Every structure is written in structure tokens, then in C-alpha cells.
Amino acid sequence: SVLQRARQEDKLIFLSIGYFTCHWCHVMARESFSDPAIARQLNDHFIAIKIDREQRPDLDAAYMQYVVLTRGQGGWPMSVWATPQGEPFFGGTYFPPDAGLGRPGMKQLLAKLSALWVEDEDGIRESAKHAVELLRKTAGSAVPLDKLTAQPLAEARSDYAAAYDELQGGFSPAPKFPQPARLMFLLQDESQQSADMALFTLQRMIDGGIYDQLGGGFHRYSTDFEWRVPHFEKMLYDQALIARAALFAWRRSGDKKYADNTRQVLDFTLRDMQSAEGGFYSALGADSRVPGKRDGHMEEGVYYTWTLQQLDDAISDELLRDWAAARYGISERGNALSDPLGEMAGRNVLYRAQADKALAAKFKTDLMTVSRRNVEVERQLLAARKTRPALPVDDKVVAAWNGYMITTLALAGRLLDEPRYIRAAEQTATFVWDTLYDDEQDVLYRDWRAGVRGVPAFSEDYAAVAEGLLTLYRVTGDKRWLDSAVKLVDYLLLNFWDDADGGFFSTASDTELWIRKKEITDGASLAANGVALQVLLKLADLTGDARYRRYARQTAAWAAAQLQDAAAAMPYSLMVWDELLVDVSEPGKPRRPD
């Protein structure tokens, strides 16, 4: 292994942790790692390792905790220097080749650290050991609660209402993140105020630049408070989870626009992110080649944005051109006002600037004509956009995110009466089981790319794939999906369960890392423990096996203690919280409907 090599050669380890769609990761690779002098320093004095955080979330979480602890904040690319045993002693994020703007340069840093290793190896080892001990202490669990109450639900509702942006939707100032787990919780909450916050937020997102108005699909997040100018990467987990939130919005409100959006997002994902074998790719990149530049120069968002000249080139008919400008908010100055860095001057992100009724009034026409012109404008703009240099694709297939897609596709197929989505869910489930699951060892793998499996899966993979298979079973009645889900959950309980405090560790018991973390906070993706909680309750209902329910209650008791003053951070767990408060051993107790 790499660690063995580091020990044999007695060299420091340099870790660069990033991911495919990380803009500054590419910048650092281009500026620093491609510099011959830096490459020579790294190869001569360090064991240099490049890590995709999406393939190794365990390493990313452990070293990120160190960087945040020592620097006050983290991010990607993450740069960490460690002893030959892998224990960190210095870290940060982006480092340019040479020092400047108060930031040390890679050349100077590498020279200083390699010299320090020669001069004071014992001091570095002592510092790293101390850091690891401190990290282990901070990773300790709170004592689980003796009794579950409805208090986390009330606290979360209150926190969401306090953080809610009544003008633009969402729950923060700029930058604004989709937070689909929060939206799903609010949409199934009994409070109408909860549902209204989520419905308005989704509507603003669907109308905004964070949503690709031409091709469908959501970008990662909005850099401004109006959902107008996004970071342009498209992640699989966002498509799966936001489409599910839109599906919940349709079920709650009956408003067709949410059902339409679910279909648009899923159709985009099936068209542009699914492999021929059936699995879904991880992401579409944000940076693409700038047309007309021969040096392969890439910029973020050039595939999606429009100048007035590009609009003129795409649509020759003057009326339709004016129509497109009015409908999508295209102007000469572009989105400069929404972008403090000034990169969007003259460039327009398309958004729904005017609703159909407003367009009808502005152009003095009827709604049927509005609909016809919308379709024609979209057709011509899409045709022009397809001639641009293609976006790069991160073609690795990640188990957990494919699990999310199976769940969403199966639910959409049933609720929207669209059998094609159920067939797509079955195709993906078959691919995941045939490709990422090893029948001989009964082990799931984290990822797959071009015929090669990655590392054994983490708890989030087991939980998310099990949830997808259970959802598929409930929709189709095909027992093989239930049997497969039971296999995954039993493995999860055997290898990831915390016997001391309840809940699931991210890593299996045989991990080589110096720390084992348990995740309960939902972010861009879902926390393993939140998904596991839902899966355990569903399995208890479907199999009649009471032990699954006991594990669910223990997980919830740990989670509620861990987030005693921050229950709003675990919305996916809160979606089933009232089920946990029901004592099923009491006859006549009502059950919450599915």
C-alpha cells in the first residue's frame, strides 16, 4: 500500500483531496502540479497522493476535520501533509505555485516542510500524534436519550421558519443551496406553513437560473440570493433529491407544475447522465472549452450562458428573438449585478423572467400563441447550444447516489403513473446489484468506472441502495428487491453499528483510519443515519421483524442527543420521527399512513 511505501522510504505524505467538478481543484492542478519544479519537489521528498473525495468520503471527512480544527475553515482542493503513518500535521486548501496575496506558495512550502522533516522529525511526529488524539476526542458521541419526544420536530419547524427568506425562498442569504431533505420534510409536515415555505422555495428555484431552463436539471447552488447565477456543475444527487422534493410538492399541492418539473429533471438525468449499462454517472462539469479559442481554454458556465450576439446568431426571426429576451431576462449587461466578481458581465443565465400571462400581455397575444412561441424559442436555443463544446462528464457510478435515483424513479413511476420510470429504476437496480455487489463475499462496493470497482462501500451506500430496493419492492411487488435489501441492511448492522451508543459509523469496523465518524447532518446528500433510520422502519413493517424497529429507535435516541440543540440539521430523520413516537406494542395505537 501507499502507507507501507511511505514507511519504508521514511517520507512525508502529501494528500490532495478534491473532486471532478471542483473548479479550484483544476486550477491548482494546472498551476501547481503541472509546474516541473513543484513536481520534482513532490516526487523527490514526498509520497504524493491524489484522492477523489467522492470515492473516499472517509478520508475526506477525517482530514477535513483536521483542516477545519487547525485553520478555522476548510474547502477543496484540500491539501494535507501527514507523517508516514498518515497522521496529519499541516493542512490548508488552495496553494498557488508562488507566494502572493498573503498566501504561501507551493514551492516555498514544500521546501520548508521537507527541510523540517530532516531537522525535526520527532517534533512533527509529536505534533501529528497530538492532533489525532484531539480529533478522536471531538468525534465522541453524546449519551443517547432515554426517551424520544416530539421536541425535535417543534424545534426544527421553529428554526426553519426563523431562517426562511420570505422574498426569495430558501433558508439563507447568498449563497443559496437547494437543501432537498429540508424541503421533503416540510412538504410532508402537517403544518401548512411548513408546506408553503417549501412550495415557494421550489417555485423560485424552478424559475431561477439554478435550473437549466433549456435542458432541464439543477445546477449545484446559487451564488446570489435570487437563485439567479449558479455554480454550473450538475450533480447526480441533486437531480435525484430535488426531483423527489418536486414530486412531494405535487403530491401535497396538486399543482401540475411540480409534476412537470419532476418529469423534466428525471428525463434530463436519463438522457444525459445514464450509462448504456444502466448506472448513473456522478456529474456534469461546470467548465467547458470556450468556442473559438484554440488553446483548450476552459471557463465555468460558457456552455449555459448567452450574450446578445449569441442570441442573435441562434434566432434569426426578430420577434422570436425579442420574445426569448423577454422570457429569459436576456440583456446587454448580462448578470453583472448578481455577480460581485464581475465574471458575468455581458453573459446571461436564462431564468423565467416573465410568466406566460405577462408575455401574452406584453406582446398582445393569447396563451396558445405564447405556448407555441415558447416551444419554438426553446427549440432554436437548444439547437444552437448543442453546437458548443461538450461538457466534461464524471463517469464514475457511485452506489449511494444511484440508490437515491432508484428511490426517486420508483416513486415517480407510481405517483405520476409513468411505468417508464419504474422500468428505469429496475434497470439501475439490476446494474447496481450485478456490478457493485459481490455475491461471493456479500459485499457492496462504493463505485465503478469503466469496468473497475472502487473500494468497499460505506454505510451511506448500504443505506441508500437498500432504500432504493425497498421502494422498488413496494412499487413492483418483486420479492428479489426485498431479499436484496435485507442482505444489505443485515451487513450494515453487522459491520457499521455502534454497539456503545447506537447509530451507524461511516466506515466499517476494519477501517485503517485513526477515526470513525457517524454522520447525522443532512447536507447536499443525505446522512447515512437518516437514511438507515427510514430503511429500518420500512423493513420492520414489511418483514414484521421487531429488531429493525429497535435499531431504528436506538439510532434516533443517539441522533437526538447528538443534535440536542440543532434538530433542524437532520430533516431526513425527522420525516419519520412521529412513527418512532408510536408504541406499536400497544393494541389500538394508530399508525401514521405511508
Side-chain angles (χ1 to χ4, degrees):
S1 74
V2 177
L3 281 178
Q4 285 174 328
R5 188 184 150 204
R7 288 168 195 153
Q8 285 168 0
E9 298 182 18
D10 195 33
K11 281 185 176 179
L12 293 174
I13 293 170
F14 169 66
L15 293 165
S16 176
I17 303 178
Y19 54 105
F20 183 85
T21 58
C22 165
H23 173 74
W24 284 100
C25 298
H26 294 295
V27 172
M28 190 165 172
R30 190 170 62 244
E31 289 182 350
S32 293
F33 301 146
S34 297
D35 184 306
I38 290 174
R40 196 159 44 249
Q41 282 176 292
L42 282 170
N43 291 330
D44 288 348
H45 302 291
F46 301 86
I47 301 294
I49 309 169
K50 194 107 172 94
I51 294 171
D52 183 337
R53 66 178 291 258
E54 295 169 350
Q55 292 178 294
R56 294 300 304 263
D58 57 332
L59 296 175
D60 177 64
Y63 287 107
M64 180 61 77
Q65 190 178 1
Y66 168 76
V67 171
V68 171
L69 182 73
T70 55
R71 312 286 287 188
Q73 60 182 25
W76 300 278
M78 182 178 10
S79 305
V80 179
W81 285 264
T83 67
Q85 285 66 39
E87 297 177 336
F89 68 91
F90 184 80
T93 53
Y94 164 77
F95 292 104
D98 295 291
L101 300 175
R103 212 179 260 273
M106 275 294 281
K107 289 174 187 170
Q108 296 83 0
L109 203 50
L110 293 173
K112 189 171 183 180
L113 293 175
S114 59
L116 195 60
W117 180 242
V118 173
E119 295 163 13
D120 190 19
E121 179 179 330
D122 290 343
I124 286 179
R125 288 185 184 277
E126 191 61 36
S127 172
K129 209 174 287 300
H130 178 68
V132 166
E133 286 170 6
L134 197 58
L135 290 169
R136 283 187 180 132
K137 281 181 189 172
T138 59
S141 280
V143 178
L145 299 183
D146 292 329
K147 186 173 189 238
L148 296 176
T149 71
Q151 188 177 349
L153 291 170
E155 285 179 356
R157 286 190 197 105
S158 173
D159 286 354
Y160 296 152
Y164 179 60
D165 179 350
E166 293 183 0
L167 290 177
Q168 298 294 340
F171 302 90
S172 71
K176 282 188 183 292
F177 289 84
Q179 299 178 300
R182 184 173 294 195
L183 297 175
M184 284 188 267
F185 165 76
L186 292 168
L187 287 162
Q188 60 90 65
D189 187 50
E190 59 188 16
S191 158
Q192 189 57 43
Q193 181 193 14
S194 293
D196 288 344
M197 288 191 292
L199 290 169
F200 181 65
T201 298
L202 267 171
Q203 181 60 62
R204 296 299 294 160
M205 287 167 55
I206 291 166
D207 287 345
I210 193 174
Y211 183 66
D212 180 357
Q213 300 295 329
L214 295 179
F218 284 92
H219 299 298
R220 183 63 204 93
Y221 65 91
S222 174
T223 61
D224 65 305
F225 69 96
E226 296 178 294
W227 304 102
R228 191 76 55 83
V229 178
H231 268 303
F232 290 92
E233 59 267 32
K234 287 181 179 177
M235 313 302 294
L236 178 63
Y237 49 75
D238 281 325
Q239 313 317 314
L241 299 177
I242 301 173
R244 202 185 308 173
L247 187 64
F248 284 22
W250 174 74
R251 184 174 62 178
R252 180 69 182 254
S253 69
D255 192 326
K256 181 174 170 290
K257 69 189 170 198
Y258 298 114
D260 289 344
N261 184 254
T262 300
R263 288 189 184 93
Q264 289 162 9
V265 174
L266 293 181
D267 290 348
F268 150 73
T269 313
L270 287 163
R271 183 185 69 241
D272 291 357
M273 297 186 73
Q274 190 176 33
S275 70
E277 298 88 352
F280 286 93
Y281 298 140
S282 296
L284 298 184
D287 298 21
S288 58
R289 275 198 309 111
V290 180
K293 292 196 177 180
R294 293 184 182 177
D295 61 354
H297 178 69
M298 297 177 77
E299 283 183 23
E300 183 179 358
V302 293
Y303 183 80
Y304 297 104
T305 54
W306 297 80
T307 63
L308 274 185
Q309 183 60 55
Q310 287 173 320
L311 177 63
D312 289 348
D313 294 341
I315 302 177
S316 56
D317 181 276
E318 188 177 352
L319 173 61
L320 283 180
R321 205 161 55 234
D322 290 345
W323 187 276
R327 184 174 197 240
Y328 293 122
I330 302 173
S331 67
E332 189 172 351
R333 75 181 175 195
N335 294 116
L337 293 180
S338 301
D339 171 38
L341 296 177
E343 294 174 354
M344 297 301 296
R347 291 165 61 184
N348 294 269
V349 181
L350 305 190
Y351 70 101
R352 285 298 301 273
Q354 296 202 42
D356 288 354
K357 284 183 180 177
L359 285 169
K362 179 179 175 68
F363 288 89
K364 299 181 174 57
T365 190
D366 56 74
L367 288 175
M368 190 173 291
T369 304
V370 169
S371 181
R372 194 172 66 248
R373 287 181 184 170
N374 284 346
V375 169
E376 182 56 25
V377 160
E378 188 177 304
R379 185 190 69 78
Q380 293 193 35
L381 289 177
L382 259 179
R385 196 172 83 172
K386 282 177 182 173
T387 66
R388 297 175 179 178
L391 293 160
V393 180
D394 183 353
D395 60 355
K396 69 176 180 286
V397 175
V398 174
W401 307 343
N402 275 261
Y404 297 164
M405 276 303 299
I406 295 167
T407 298
T408 299
L409 285 165
L411 287 174
R414 168 57 64 85
L415 294 174
L416 299 177
D417 194 20
E418 291 268 19
R420 64 195 178 100
Y421 293 142
I422 297 174
R423 288 194 296 273
E426 289 179 307
Q427 183 188 15
T428 303
T430 301
F431 171 83
V432 168
W433 197 256
D434 290 349
T435 308
L436 287 167
Y437 190 75
D438 186 330
D439 274 312
E440 291 182 8
Q441 300 181 58
D442 287 333
V443 168
L444 183 70
Y445 280 81
R446 167 69 174 179
D447 62 288
W448 174 94
R449 181 180 178 275
V452 180
R453 286 172 177 160
V455 297
F458 302 96
S459 59
E460 65 172 324
D461 299 295
Y462 280 91
V465 174
E467 181 179 45
L469 300 182
L470 282 180
T471 308
L472 201 46
Y473 167 68
R474 292 158 76 206
V475 167
T476 65
D478 188 337
K479 194 167 181 294
R480 68 179 162 144
W481 303 127
L482 174 60
D483 294 341
S484 300
V486 168
K487 274 187 179 181
L488 294 177
V489 173
D490 286 349
Y491 186 95
L492 183 66
L493 288 165
L494 186 64
N495 292 280
F496 294 89
W497 180 254
D498 179 1
D499 289 320
D501 295 311
F504 297 92
F505 289 107
S506 300
T507 50
S509 50
D510 61 355
T511 179
E512 59 188 13
L513 260 178
W514 28 266
I515 193 169
R516 289 182 83 193
K517 297 190 72 175
K518 293 194 294 185
E519 298 292 350
I520 190 57
T521 300
D522 298 308
S525 55
L526 305 175
N529 278 284
V531 181
L533 190 59
Q534 295 214 23
V535 167
L536 289 165
L537 289 175
K538 288 186 181 83
L539 259 189
D541 281 347
L542 290 168
T543 65
D545 190 335
R547 72 191 174 103
Y548 292 128
R549 185 174 177 81
R550 285 197 299 274
Y551 280 120
R553 290 176 68 86
Q554 284 178 264
T555 301
W558 162 76
Q562 200 71 15
L563 295 177
Q564 199 139 18
D565 299 315
M570 57 172 185
Y572 206 68
S573 300
L574 296 181
M575 287 175 67
V576 290
W577 205 260
D578 52 356
E579 290 182 46
L580 294 161
L581 303 179
V582 176
D583 186 351
V584 291
S585 64
E586 284 187 40
K589 272 278 187 182
R591 294 302 310 276
R592 180 174 171 272
D594 196 341

